[in-house]
Amino acid sequence: MTAIGQDTLGARTTLKVGAKSYDYYSLANAAEKYGDISRLPFSMKVLLENMLRFEDGKTVTTDDVKAIIDWQIDKRSDREIQYRPARVLMQDFTGVPCVVDLAAMRDAITKLGGDAAKINPLVPVHLVIDHSVMVDEFGTPKAFTDNVDLEYSRNFERYEFLKWGSKALDNFQVVPPGTGICHQVNLEYIGHGVWDSVAPDGKTIAYPDTLVGTDSHTTMVNGMGVLGWGVGGIEAEAAMLGQPVSMLIPEVVGFKLTGAMSEGITATDLVLTVTQMLRAKGVVGRFVEFYGPGLDTMTLADRATIANMAPEYGATCGFFPIDTKTIDYMKLTGRPDETVALVEAYCKAQGLWHDENSPDPVFTDTLELDMGTVMASLAGPKRPQDRVSLSKVDEVFNGDLFKVYNKERPARAAVEGREHDIGDGDVVIAAITSCTNTSNPSVLVAAGLVARKARAAGLTSKPWVKTSLAPGSQVVTDYLNKAGLTEDLNAMGFNLVGYGCTTCIGNSGPLAAPISAAINENDIVAASVLSGNRNFEGRVSPDVRANFLASPPLVVAYAIKGTVTEDMVETPLGQGSDGQDVFLKDIWPTNAEIAEVMAANIDDSMFRARYGNVYAGDEKWRAIEVEGSDTYTWRAGSTYVANPPYFEGMTMTPAPVMDIIEARPLAILGDSITTDHISPAGSIKADSPAGVFLQEHQVSRADFNS
């Protein structure tokens, strides 16, 4: 059930979609009172609707509504608003404390004789278990099974606790381990585009799908027109309990996209270019909204790739409006027909629909990119915004080797028990990982085709490279299997290692002991190439100092070449089975080849099958026996999950105000007490904020001073 405001402006009206009627808060009705909004950025229209729906005269007023519309005058505002997202997304590490607090509240209310079942999130919460799998095993058919076994053995207590939450709490759903990355599950399944719920008056209200998440890359779902961004655990928990997110009305930077990407250029190349440009522009604390004719040439998966990396380019979010590409994606991913129809009808009624007739919004600032100018790129070796042209990677690394690491030339060292040595610039980790790219079928199919062509030529990955494939969802495995590309990837060592965040968050697992020893004992500057979004030194692996972000097909290519010290374009990857040099261009697929494989092997039935019973989990998850019912049975002596002491000694009778102030004066008065508020005699001035507080609560200043 959703709360509704007092609707001072008379914005609430009705929309009929098929046989069903929805009430909604009309932006057009607000515009009649306060002015034209046709050129207000789409992301700002979402905030405007939120103000209309929650306008109560207290937390949200009609002045807030007017301030968002008036934003168009100066394209910025100093006004603070109280924004309420429709739902909350969590992952398993950062989400656990929120569930602990709910469990503690249930214990407390039970001790006071109340009903524990009344303690629940007030907005829908989805927690996806995706941050716990590590790449211990790789390069074998058993890698996935072995890694899952280790994952459950290491995390059993946490999984048991989260399963209790999924059973006991209303409005709280858990996606079990081994399903996918939270952002891809959000994109492929959870995200609705338009949310709906029942109001206190019994009517169904439709409104934009919005969220906050406990992971910075919550922004990925902005690629399908769902406004969301990452927040801290306290903010997420507040939102979960129905409290608003306090925020300034943001500045919005418009990023105009024109043209189309050239032959052989990937979405990863595009997003690394966009990230570099926006970092240089300076968009911290701002919304970025993409517009222009280039949107018509982009798939939604490409948009999501760009939206995902908003934390790397520094923006609060990178928003794409809803259009026919959004509808096509929702159909492809198996969304119910009723949901798809509601999204289109609602967005058109609200002016949230983008097409060729939509006027360009007004923005605080703008920049522009012709996508036809994007080149094959990586980013690194330490920061995601440091884009490097593919042909210059060797120059960058070799330059750093001299300037940063004080080496005149790459050194090499023997590896005990191996028939190969190891050297500066050798790629020791090649990982297809992270939500940024594993949501995008075009780059994953491209990786499979590179592996197929390399295999046909007789190439293999270098023996010192730790290779891994961690898709963002199980659907990826389905279409790679159907296309016959899994066998080719396996031949290059890219066997499935798990579904979740792995190398990108540092869960790359250990390197082989002899390789690790050779690196550390000989001061080798080893490299990694990963299809992730973070490459800070020390994050990927403690043994690796140079980390490059790349598209999945380039990850495969670098595993074959095995080094970043040589020009990837002009020098061969290796010699084929016929003894002839094989270059990158010889195994790189065409855009037509990629499109053909995608068209023949990806359909909505895959998504419907995988997400049809997504909360059930595998045999290991189903076998977890949950102790407790409405309340959690805390494990005695646990060093991981324990009942916090917040509610110890709490009674049904509030303590007198004076007792509270005597016990916690600074906690109550906060920053109110400053030297300006203290009289020469050392007492609190009557007209200071602290003095006013004491007067309002009928507390003697003399008693407090004493």
Side-chain angles (χ1 to χ4, degrees):
M1 182 173 288
T2 185
I4 56 175
Q6 58 192 23
D7 193 22
T8 301
L9 300 177
R12 187 171 173 178
T13 187
T14 302
L15 172 70
K16 189 168 184 179
V17 184
K20 192 169 183 179
S21 292
Y22 301 86
D23 276 14
Y24 72 101
Y25 287 77
S26 170
L27 301 184
N29 287 359
E32 289 179 2
K33 304 289 196 305
Y34 290 136
D36 179 48
I37 60 168
S38 61
R39 297 191 64 197
L40 193 68
F42 287 91
S43 54
M44 292 289 284
K45 290 180 181 179
V46 175
L47 295 182
L48 176 60
E49 187 280 338
N50 201 268
M51 296 300 100
L52 288 173
R53 184 160 33 96
F54 289 104
E55 182 258 316
D56 58 5
K58 297 177 182 179
T59 61
V60 179
T61 68
T62 55
D63 287 341
D64 296 319
V65 174
K66 187 175 187 299
I68 292 180
I69 295 176
D70 287 348
W71 178 94
Q72 297 173 97
I73 299 171
D74 296 322
K75 288 82 175 177
R76 53 177 49 86
S77 173
D78 293 328
R79 189 174 186 86
E80 188 172 321
I81 58 173
Q82 305 301 309
Y83 163 72
R84 291 172 172 85
R87 57 189 177 91
V88 175
L89 179 71
M90 297 179 178
Q91 43 99 327
D92 46 318
F93 275 133
T94 52
V96 165
C98 297
V99 186
V100 168
D101 287 351
L102 289 170
M105 283 189 272
R106 284 196 162 203
D107 266 13
I109 197 172
T110 299
K111 290 177 182 177
L112 294 173
D115 182 4
K118 291 183 177 180
I119 302 294
N120 294 291
L122 293 181
V123 303
V125 177
H126 298 86
L127 186 148
V128 182
I129 300 176
D130 70 341
H131 273 56
S132 302
V133 61
M134 294 187 69
V135 187
D136 289 278
E137 302 298 329
F138 68 98
T140 73
K142 290 183 59 183
F144 173 70
T145 301
D146 291 347
N147 288 331
V148 168
D149 288 344
L150 286 167
E151 178 186 356
Y152 270 89
S153 66
R154 291 165 175 161
N155 299 281
F156 185 81
E157 182 182 353
R158 177 149 47 100
Y159 290 178
E160 180 187 54
F161 176 64
L162 292 175
K163 188 169 184 180
W164 167 82
S166 71
K167 298 289 186 182
L169 299 170
D170 294 334
N171 246 3
F172 180 81
Q173 293 177 297
V174 174
V175 177
T179 303
I181 294 170
C182 60
H183 313 304
Q184 190 160 346
V185 174
N186 193 24
L187 188 75
E188 294 179 349
Y189 177 69
I190 301 171
H192 286 185
V194 174
W195 209 258
D196 65 89
S197 56
V198 178
D201 61 6
K203 294 187 177 181
T204 300
I205 308 291
Y207 45 94
D209 185 4
T210 57
L211 74 153
V212 291
T214 60
D215 189 291
S216 58
H217 293 98
T218 298
T219 54
M220 183 174 183
V221 79
N222 286 272
M224 63 178 290
V226 175
L227 184 64
W229 56 84
V231 294
I234 292 174
E235 293 94 332
E237 186 163 340
M240 175 181 75
L241 297 176
Q243 297 301 303
V245 175
S246 183
M247 59 182 286
L248 290 174
I249 298 175
E251 296 182 2
V252 185
V253 175
F255 196 120
K256 187 173 185 178
L257 293 169
T258 62
M261 290 188 290
S262 303
E263 177 65 37
I265 301 301
T266 69
T268 313
D269 304 319
L270 174 61
V271 72
L272 294 179
T273 303
V274 168
T275 298
Q276 182 187 44
M277 292 176 64
L278 285 169
R279 267 292 177 182
K281 185 73 171 177
V283 292
V284 173
R286 296 165 148 187
F287 284 11
V288 172
E289 183 166 309
F290 294 89
Y291 72 109
L295 268 60
D296 297 335
T297 69
M298 298 180 69
T299 66
L300 191 133
D302 288 353
R303 298 177 184 183
T305 303
I306 293 174
N308 179 282
M309 284 192 76
E312 281 67 48
Y313 47 79
T316 302
C317 61
F319 188 84
F320 288 82
I322 291 174
D323 60 8
T324 56
K325 294 291 182 72
T326 316
I327 298 300
D328 291 344
Y329 182 80
M330 294 186 75
K331 291 178 179 178
L332 172 66
T333 49
R335 261 68 171 211
D337 293 341
E338 183 181 85
T339 299
V340 176
L342 173 60
V343 170
E344 183 167 354
Y346 176 86
C347 289
K348 287 181 175 178
Q350 280 284 52
L352 290 170
W353 181 263
H354 178 268
D355 58 28
E356 67 276 4
N357 297 316
S358 302
D360 287 348
V362 294
F363 295 108
T364 308
D365 200 354
T366 60
L367 68 169
E368 182 174 342
L369 172 66
D370 177 356
M371 292 187 288
T373 65
V374 174
M375 300 182 293
S377 304
L378 288 81
K382 298 179 187 296
R383 302 189 305 176
Q385 66 265 34
D386 293 337
R387 187 189 65 83
V388 185
S389 296
L390 175 62
S391 61
K392 303 293 185 182
V393 171
D394 58 313
E395 295 179 17
V396 169
F397 179 83
N398 292 330
D400 280 0
L401 201 60
F402 175 72
K403 292 180 292 185
V404 178
Y405 301 109
N406 300 313
K407 295 189 175 187
E408 292 186 2
R409 63 185 60 84
R412 304 200 68 79
V415 178
E416 184 179 356
R418 298 293 182 96
E419 296 181 355
H420 62 79
D421 58 5
I422 196 79
D424 292 322
D426 278 5
V427 176
V428 295
I429 293 177
I432 300 175
T433 181
S434 163
C435 44
T436 303
N437 288 286
T438 58
S439 65
N440 196 324
S442 66
V443 290
L444 289 167
V445 167
L449 290 173
V450 166
R452 173 173 291 176
K453 295 187 177 193
R455 182 186 181 198
L459 298 175
T460 60
S461 295
K462 293 295 187 289
W464 55 81
V465 184
K466 182 172 186 176
T467 48
S468 60
L469 169 63
S473 80
Q474 295 173 341
V475 175
V476 175
T477 297
D478 292 338
Y479 64 68
L480 290 177
N481 284 344
K482 186 177 179 182
L485 295 173
T486 299
E487 186 178 347
D488 299 304
L489 286 163
N490 291 348
M492 293 297 116
F494 287 91
N495 300 76
L496 175 69
V497 297
Y499 298 99
C501 294
T502 54
T503 304
C504 191
I505 61 166
N507 284 4
S508 57
L511 297 181
I515 292 178
S516 177
I519 290 171
N520 290 288
E521 292 170 7
N522 297 279
D523 191 33
I524 298 297
V525 182
S528 74
V529 180
L530 64 153
S531 66
N533 42 44
R534 301 276 171 86
N535 59 334
F536 313 122
E537 184 170 359
R539 179 183 177 96
V540 169
S541 167
D543 294 333
V544 181
R545 283 186 271 179
N547 304 287
F548 290 91
L549 306 181
S551 65
L554 279 178
V555 172
V556 177
Y558 270 102
I560 296 167
K561 191 166 185 65
T563 182
V564 294
T565 62
E566 298 177 3
D567 190 318
M568 176 59 92
V569 177
E570 298 297 331
T571 63
L573 297 174
Q575 284 68 49
S577 52
D578 59 1
Q580 299 298 307
D581 286 344
V582 180
F583 291 83
L584 181 63
K585 64 182 180 180
D586 299 325
I587 63 169
W588 199 259
T590 66
N591 292 354
E593 288 174 318
I594 295 169
E596 183 180 357
V597 171
M598 289 172 59
N601 297 284
I602 306 175
D603 58 54
D604 61 343
S605 66
M606 293 177 172
F607 293 90
R608 294 182 190 276
R610 285 296 189 180
Y611 288 111
N613 199 17
V614 69
Y615 302 111
D618 60 14
E619 292 181 4
K620 291 180 178 295
W621 179 259
R622 294 194 297 270
I624 296 176
E625 296 183 3
V626 177
E627 296 182 9
S629 52
D630 286 345
T631 59
Y632 181 66
T633 303
W634 304 94
R635 288 190 177 200
S638 172
T639 58
Y640 183 75
V641 177
N643 192 353
Y646 310 142
F647 306 108
E648 289 179 3
M650 187 175 70
T651 68
M652 292 297 290
T653 304
V657 172
M658 190 60 209
D659 291 348
I660 297 174
I661 291 176
E662 286 179 344
R664 299 185 296 154
L666 293 181
I668 295 297
L669 297 175
D671 295 330
S672 297
I673 302 177
T674 69
T675 55
D676 292 338
H677 303 150
I678 307 299
S679 71
S683 62
I684 296 176
K685 295 178 181 178
D687 59 351
S688 71
V692 172
F693 175 89
L694 296 174
Q695 184 178 0
E696 288 176 348
H697 289 83
Q698 299 180 336
V699 176
S700 164
R701 286 188 295 120
D703 288 343
F704 183 82
N705 293 335
S706 66

